[in-house]
Amino acid sequence: MSDAHLTQLLTQRREISSDVVNVDEPLHQLVLVQIGDQSFAFLGKHIREILVRPTVYFVPGCPESMEGVINLRGSIESVIRLHGLLQVASRQTSDQSGFVLMGETEQLTSGIRVEALIDMIEVVESGLQPPPSSLPIHLTPYVSHIVSYQHKPVAV
């Protein structure tokens, strides 16, 4: 390979990846998921585990947002559905399909039902933008950031 050809390849590569990233800027891991027909993301630090098709047991008298409970290595954990809160229709045909993300914060641990895992990515802190004022009112209590994924906005 000639020097001219190598220079041309490097120049093309530089033009393709023109995003400048500050390597000292903190990185955040995100778990991108599909809930209904929309994409959402969770901060990776709050997702302890991803379960594939776990058996969820129905509990009578629970609110509509609670799908049921699972036995996770001897610990009984709730499984919630965010579809109603986020106002998205469920695409699942079976409650035993899809994934359950085991979410954890200082105050709460619960499973979160999602239809699909889209990706796991790392985003620099400046890539986490505040939610726009045009965000639908029903999402404002739940959305902390907006991130761009494949040139589309995703609510975090």
Side-chain angles (χ1 to χ4, degrees), residues 34-153:
Q34 182 178 338
I35 299 176
D37 60 352
Q38 295 184 25
S39 298
F40 293 92
F42 292 96
L43 290 172
K45 68 181 181 179
H46 295 301
I47 303 301
R48 180 178 70 195
E49 188 172 357
I50 299 172
L51 307 172
V52 181
R53 292 188 297 276
T55 301
V56 179
Y57 299 96
F58 174 73
V59 178
C62 288
E64 185 181 326
S65 61
M66 186 171 157
E67 182 176 325
V69 296
I70 58 174
N71 181 346
L72 185 62
R73 293 179 292 283
S75 179
I76 304 301
E77 302 286 352
S78 63
V79 176
I80 60 173
R81 299 180 72 82
L82 298 177
H83 297 75
L85 294 173
L86 302 175
Q87 296 184 11
V88 295
S90 178
R91 291 183 27 188
Q92 286 186 191
T93 56
S94 164
D95 283 346
Q96 303 304 324
S97 64
F99 299 87
V100 171
L101 306 179
M102 290 308 300
E104 183 174 61
T105 65
E106 294 81 27
Q107 299 89 15
L108 179 67
T109 298
S110 185
I112 304 163
R113 171 66 69 185
V114 300
E115 276 85 2
L117 293 174
I118 298 171
D119 203 350
M120 295 173 76
I121 62 172
E122 286 188 333
V123 177
V124 292
E125 191 158 331
S126 62
L128 295 173
Q129 300 297 314
S133 59
S134 61
L135 188 71
I137 193 74
H138 68 275
L139 291 178
T140 55
Y142 311 110
V143 176
S144 61
H145 298 91
I146 299 292
V147 67
S148 177
Y149 178 73
Q150 296 182 346
H151 308 292
K152 294 180 184 175

Side-chain angles (χ1 to χ4, degrees), residues 22-28 123-126:
N22 181 351
V23 293
D24 294 331
E25 192 171 359
L27 289 173
H28 296 277
V123 177
V124 292
E125 191 158 331
S126 62

